């Protein structure tokens, strides 16, 4: 087994509600779209970073274009 760690995407935290859900959802999206392990970690980190910049769970979930627009 190999253990991989990924740095969190830098962001300002407003509220952490939904961060785990958005992270897991991003992992599922990445698997369906054949992302590499590296791509999965980076993508999921970006998704949850956007999520915690807003208040609430469902309202904080980002759209794909929001995620793809950050570096």
């Amino acid at each position: 087994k190999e253990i991989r760690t990924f740095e969190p995407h830098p962001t300002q935290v407003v509220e952490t509600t939904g961060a785990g859900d958005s992270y897991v959802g991003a992992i599922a999206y990445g698997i369906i779209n054949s992302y590499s392990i590296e791509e999965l970690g980076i993508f999921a980190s970006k998704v949850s970073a956007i999520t915690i910049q807003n208040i609430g769970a469902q309202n904080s979930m980002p759209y794909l274009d929001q995620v793809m627009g950050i570096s």
Side-chain angles (χ1 to χ4, degrees), residues 3-69:
I3 297 174
R4 299 287 307 267
T5 60
F6 299 95
E7 293 293 320
H9 190 78
T11 191
Q12 295 293 323
V13 177
V14 174
E15 181 185 1
T16 60
T17 303
D21 295 327
S22 66
Y23 190 91
V24 171
I27 293 291
Y29 175 87
I31 290 171
I32 290 168
N33 288 284
S34 302
Y35 284 21
S36 69
I37 295 296
E38 182 80 17
E39 291 169 324
L40 284 172
I42 293 168
F43 181 72
S45 179
K46 287 181 181 182
V47 170
S48 60
I50 294 171
T51 300
I52 64 174
Q53 292 177 22
N54 300 292
I55 295 174
Q58 186 173 358
N59 295 338
S60 297
M61 300 296 162
Y63 289 96
L64 184 59
D65 62 337
Q66 290 174 283
V67 179
M68 298 306 197

